[in-house]
Amino acid sequence: MGQRSSRVRSFADSEQVHDPNPSSSSSSTAEEQHPHRPVDVAEGEGAVIPNARPKKKKKKAGDFFKWLSFGGKKKSTKNKSSDQGEMKDQDIETETPRSTDDQKSLQSISRSVEVTDLEEPPVGVIRVLPAAEPLEFEELQTQVHDAPAGETSPLTKPLDSNEVNMRPEDNICCRYAIGRKLGQGGFGAVYEGTRLADGHQVAVKFVKKTKHTECISIADHPEPLPKEVALTILANKGPVNDIIKLLDWQDQQDFYVMVLERLSHSMDVSRLVEGNGGSIEESFARLIMWGATLAAEACCRRGVYHGDIKLENLLIDLKNLEVRLIDFGCGDLLTESAYTRFCGTIMYCPPEYRMKGEFHGKPATVWTLGILLFRMLCGYFPDTFDLYRINMNTWYKPGLTEGCCHLICSLLQQKPERRPDLERIVHHEWF
């Protein structure tokens, strides 16, 4: 497993990660300031922020809320499809007990949603939020919609299933029957597959390599691996049920191939939420948040910064209510020093990056979990006034429990040092 045919030096646009800055760190002694009532700003779309540099001029708290907002209108974000493909579950080590009410309610939701293969939801026009200084656009990643049914994109023309099955015998694809395409993104395509040795259902992901594709070295592997492959391997070190498993992989000249587990009755959380009218009940949000938090904590404990935890990158198995975190394409090795480059979805970008041009992996992950929870429960991303009240610990939403509102206020604090550690979140009373 893991044959290699080439080695590349740099890193793909779709997988850009930040270069750590060893001299930067977050201050834990900064004095708190009460912000002024913020002013709403225009709604933005998802994007990749390639770079930013800190500005010496001190920002006022009111300025933070002015352009931290995700939009003044409380509006549900519509997602259509995803590029990861539905995955099949295997090697389940533990199972969290679920209540009968949760089982019945989730089944009623799933009946209103077509359970089909997972596809990547298209992202709208790229719009970059203000940073400490004007951003430098260095080969900004192009967001790509799914190819229409029956149409083959330029990316996947050399990866057509008929051509894949005709490759030499030493090719990894000869060990799998490659089926139809499940989804496609800017630099990768996912196909359904069947392992010929035992008929096991898998998902086969092809990622096209570019001059920016980066390889890194990890323990127990003599040669550098593509970063996405290496991070997925590291995240799966030890027992874990909340992160997608990498079953096989191979590095080829123009692309690398990843064989991933495939859940039999899965869909991405974005589709589940949108199929239920844009938001879900607190009991289901608790279930999904629990899986996402365990996955995020496991990643950080194993030295991995995922970088793009969001609704579209979480799969839920509707049969046994298990959650999986997928897609480490925007990830990096977790460092103690600050990152000065953000690669991910702009709606989940931590505020310290917008204000100072840098962020740390663990507090940024906590912020991302807060945005995830808010979006599932409210049906929209937090706007200016929501963030103002959250920072003042006065935010609440009718129908939510006090513990849930308290958790959201804790996760979405403006200052990273005021956010709880991931270990504390796992043991929060709300769960």
Side-chain angles (χ1 to χ4, degrees):
M1 183 175 78
Q3 299 179 8
R4 302 181 55 80
S5 61
S6 69
R7 179 174 172 182
V8 290
R9 302 183 180 83
S10 51
F11 187 39
D13 292 348
S14 65
E15 302 165 346
Q16 294 174 358
V17 263
H18 7 263
D19 296 326
N21 180 3
S23 62
S24 301
S25 61
S26 299
S27 172
S28 60
T29 60
E31 296 183 359
E32 299 178 3
Q33 297 181 0
H34 293 286
H36 301 289
R37 173 79 176 241
V39 180
D40 288 342
V41 297
E43 183 176 12
E45 297 286 350
V48 174
I49 306 180
N51 199 5
R53 293 191 298 272
K55 189 173 182 180
K56 295 182 179 179
K57 183 178 178 180
K58 186 175 180 181
K59 294 285 185 180
K60 296 181 180 179
D63 295 335
F64 160 76
F65 289 109
K66 183 176 180 179
W67 37 263
L68 178 58
S69 169
F70 295 113
K73 297 181 180 179
K74 296 180 174 154
K75 154 181 172 180
S76 174
T77 301
K78 297 295 180 183
N79 297 313
K80 294 182 180 177
S81 54
S82 157
D83 73 19
Q84 295 306 323
E86 59 172 319
M87 310 294 184
K88 182 175 179 61
D89 185 17
Q90 76 166 28
D91 301 332
I92 301 301
E93 300 177 14
T94 59
E95 183 173 357
T96 305
R98 313 297 183 193
S99 67
T100 305
D101 292 339
D102 284 359
Q103 294 269 3
K104 292 180 178 179
S105 300
L106 184 55
Q107 291 172 0
S108 65
I109 289 180
S110 62
R111 283 195 294 269
S112 65
V113 183
E114 181 183 3
V115 182
T116 57
D117 298 313
L118 178 63
E119 297 175 337
E120 179 83 28
V123 180
V125 178
I126 293 177
R127 184 180 301 172
V128 179
L129 293 182
E133 288 186 359
L135 301 179
E136 296 179 2
F137 292 87
E138 299 174 356
E139 298 180 334
L140 189 61
Q141 173 188 350
T142 302
Q143 307 280 350
V144 180
H145 295 273
D146 287 347
E151 178 181 330
T152 304
S153 73
L155 169 64
T156 56
K157 284 181 179 178
L159 307 180
D160 182 81
S161 59
N162 294 329
E163 298 179 19
V164 168
N165 290 331
M166 295 172 60
R167 293 181 183 277
E169 293 182 359
D170 62 347
N171 192 293
I172 188 175
C173 299
C174 293
R175 300 196 288 271
Y176 300 89
I178 308 299
R180 62 192 180 91
K181 185 171 66 175
L182 302 176
Q184 176 183 324
F187 293 90
V190 180
Y191 293 81
E192 63 182 12
T194 303
R195 191 161 54 198
L196 298 178
D198 56 9
H200 187 75
Q201 298 298 306
V202 298
V204 185
K205 181 177 182 179
F206 298 86
V207 181
K208 185 177 181 180
K209 296 193 296 190
T210 72
K211 62 180 180 179
H212 298 290
T213 301
E214 182 179 356
C215 289
I216 61 175
S217 298
I218 61 174
D220 302 327
H221 292 269
E223 297 185 18
L225 312 178
K227 182 172 281 189
E228 181 180 2
V229 174
L231 296 178
T232 308
I233 292 174
L234 288 176
N236 277 281
K237 288 285 187 181
V240 61
N241 287 329
D242 303 287
I243 299 174
I244 204 71
K245 290 181 175 63
L246 178 64
L247 308 177
D248 199 359
W249 77 278
Q250 188 178 70
D251 193 3
Q252 301 193 10
Q253 182 175 359
D254 298 322
F255 54 90
Y256 58 86
V257 185
M258 301 174 66
V259 180
L260 303 158
E261 70 170 326
R262 183 178 174 193
L263 305 180
S264 56
H265 300 87
S266 69
M267 66 189 312
D268 71 79
V269 174
S270 175
R271 284 181 129 188
L272 176 67
V273 171
E274 292 306 321
N276 193 51
S279 63
I280 57 178
E281 296 295 328
E282 183 177 334
S283 59
F284 294 135
R286 183 186 296 112
L287 170 73
I288 296 167
M289 187 68 177
W290 173 247
T293 303
L294 290 179
E297 192 274 334
C299 287
C300 291
R301 183 160 27 91
R302 292 160 185 170
V304 175
Y305 170 62
H306 184 278
D308 199 22
I309 299 176
K310 59 181 179 179
L311 297 178
E312 293 81 2
N313 284 340
L314 292 170
L315 296 181
I316 182 168
D317 191 325
L318 299 176
K319 184 176 181 180
N320 44 31
L321 305 183
E322 293 182 336
V323 175
R324 294 286 192 281
L325 177 63
I326 64 174
D327 195 353
F328 287 77
C330 288
D332 200 356
L333 295 173
L334 184 66
T335 64
E336 292 296 329
S337 56
Y339 298 99
T340 57
R341 187 174 185 135
F342 177 81
C343 178
T345 304
I346 196 172
M347 311 302 282
Y348 296 80
C349 180
E352 55 268 29
Y353 179 76
R354 302 170 189 175
M355 298 186 69
K356 300 179 180 179
E358 63 181 30
F359 64 94
H360 288 78
K362 289 184 179 180
T365 299
V366 172
W367 173 271
T368 298
L369 291 173
I371 295 294
L372 180 78
L373 180 57
F374 189 102
R375 173 65 183 85
M376 287 191 293
L377 292 171
C378 300
Y380 63 96
F381 292 100
D383 62 21
T384 305
F385 192 50
D386 288 322
L387 293 171
Y388 170 79
R389 293 195 299 159
I390 286 172
N391 198 63
M392 300 297 293
N393 291 308
T394 60
W395 183 89
Y396 74 95
K397 182 179 185 294
L400 298 183
T401 63
E402 181 180 351
C404 180
C405 295
H406 176 265
L407 180 59
I408 289 177
C409 289
S410 299
L411 302 180
L412 294 180
Q413 286 296 302
Q414 171 192 348
K415 295 181 179 180
E417 61 269 20
R418 294 178 60 182
R419 300 171 204 155
D421 296 331
L422 285 166
E423 294 79 5
R424 288 181 55 194
I425 301 173
V426 171
H427 297 94
H428 193 276
E429 60 180 5
W430 184 61
F431 293 114

